[in-house]
Amino acid sequence: MTAGPSTLRDSRVARESSARLGAAISRLPDADSSEALERSIAAARDALIGLQSAQGFWLFELEADCTIPAEYIMMMHFLDEIDVVLQEKISVYLRRHQAEHGGWPLYVGGDLDLSCTVKVYYALKLAGDDVGAPHMVRARAAILARGGAARANVFTRIALALFGQVPWRAVPYIPVEIMLLPKWFPFHLDKVSYWSRTVMVPLFVLCTKKPLARNPHGIDIRELFTTPPWEEHHYFARRGFTNRFFMALDRMGRAIDPLIPRAMRSRAMRAAHEWVLERLNGEGGLGAIFPAMVNALEVLVLMGVPPHDPRRATAKRAIEKLLVVGPVEAYCQPCVSPVWDSALAALAMQEAGDAQAQAAAGRALDWLVPEQLLDNPQDWRVQKPDVPGGGWAFQFTNSHYPDLDDTAVVAWSMHQAQDPVRYATSITRALDWLVGLQSRNGGFAAFDADNTHYILNEIPFADHGALLDPPTSDVTARVVTLLARVGRPADQPALARAIAYLRAEQESDGAWFGRWGTNFIYGTWSVLIALEQAGIPHDDPAVRRELAGIQAERGRWLGRTQRQLP
């Protein structure tokens, strides 16, 4: 489906409406009274309803770190399709987000991330920033102080290899013949996360063909290396026996690459192209995530698909729809989040409870009903071929990749709607799908079941730390909340196993780690809500241990605060 109003317009409306909401709340009396609280809730309700689209969904900006805006500029120079006005707006955004340490972090207030900083520096230089400008001097010094661009992660080094800035031996050997490996082989696409799959398959093509970016201005970043790139021999860290074993395989693969039969390479290329083309996903883009979408577009160009071809034009339009463009600045989102936004907003409207809010929630749920992914091809079926479909994706369109977190929240909101019978079929399909994707350890992952081949974290490609999709406490908590609220007798064994998983995952200080939000705070409140919904009493040892941990952390925080006071 199409998104209706453009992301850019909705994003501007979101910012303006949020500002109006903040102004409205700031004018409320500073009084500890139920009346003031009710006015606050009404103001928030009205502002949120004002953000709802005519189709019924909510959509808010999804701002990540500066890696993706930097990659957008690099993509334009790779293809030699440069929008100068847009490039300058993205550059303004990147310059503004430079931190005091001279680089760019992965979150506000975070430490310098070397890979992000290298990409931003290169993007700004591509955009025309003078290397002698103060912000570039500071960034360069920070990069060199941390070992230089050679110490950046694999994804960054692949980007640099495509621009001719490092030799191809600086990146892992990932030939396209990986597409032909049997399922029993230690590495197979089905053994890694969905986002790794969608990013890697186009990379197999790029890293096999080794194209050179058009880079029309011939910009290089040799100044970011402490050792000249072609003289550097330590691009990969040695972390232990398993990692050294995989590195030996990597060297062996490079040695035999010239001996690969031409027919085998051609068959592997066809397999990769067909895999990508099957999942292009219209204007949603491959995997509906920016890195995969860019790789797919570059592969289409490499395949010789002309600019006017609908596949290439649509792939580029999918990327452009991620842009948030203002009068002065612009940035690129990693993806869009209408299903998640709509489900959470519907829950908020249901909590408000009045007729106006309930009507808004109903419009969102009615929009969500046809978005449920039922019996179309989906990659999770490789592990669970007999489970009927019933999930929702995060984005407007991501037909191969529904996720459990969104599905649990959507079904939760549908279950507590004023007319839950209206959504009974959707809820049942969602529950059956979720229970069907429970992992063997009792937990629930984001997109797949039992995606726990941890040995793959030792391969040279996996230094970004996000190759797999194992069960997590936060996603499991969301599913537990739904299963407990609906209370189907058939789901009780799955619920019991999930609660046992959460108990086993509790940290020694009482907290739970959340992978899909800001870690321990996110994970902990998610699990505590789930345990409460499941009827776990407040004096349960797990809850008491968490409360004790909160008190201890509060004490440590107060102690630090008091010591900092003059």
Side-chain angles (χ1 to χ4, degrees), residues 3-33:
S6 73
T7 300
L8 305 187
R9 186 165 70 248
D10 279 358
S11 298
R12 286 194 291 271
V13 170
R15 286 197 298 271
E16 293 164 1
S17 298
S18 296
R20 289 198 299 272
L21 171 59
I25 292 176
S26 69
R27 291 194 296 270
L28 293 173
D30 185 14
D32 184 14
S33 68

Side-chain angles (χ1 to χ4, degrees), residues 156-233:
T156 301
R157 298 203 305 273
I158 290 174
L160 296 182
L162 289 168
F163 273 80
Q165 301 305 299
V166 297
W168 279 99
R169 62 177 173 79
V171 307
Y173 176 67
I174 47 174
V176 73
E177 285 75 21
I178 291 173
M179 297 298 300
L180 306 179
L181 293 176
K183 291 183 182 294
W184 54 261
F185 199 77
F187 181 89
H188 191 273
L189 281 178
D190 296 339
K191 295 179 179 180
V192 299
S193 64
Y194 117 73
W195 58 88
S196 296
R197 252 173 270 150
T198 55
V199 169
M200 289 169 72
V201 173
L203 280 184
F204 296 161
V205 176
L206 294 170
C207 290
T208 299
K209 287 188 171 289
K210 300 178 175 57
L212 188 63
R214 293 180 181 174
N215 192 6
H217 305 303
I219 303 299
D220 67 66
I221 49 167
R222 301 298 167 84
E223 69 272 17
L224 296 187
F225 292 86
T226 58
T227 301
W230 271 256
E231 297 176 19
E232 175 66 64
H233 294 287

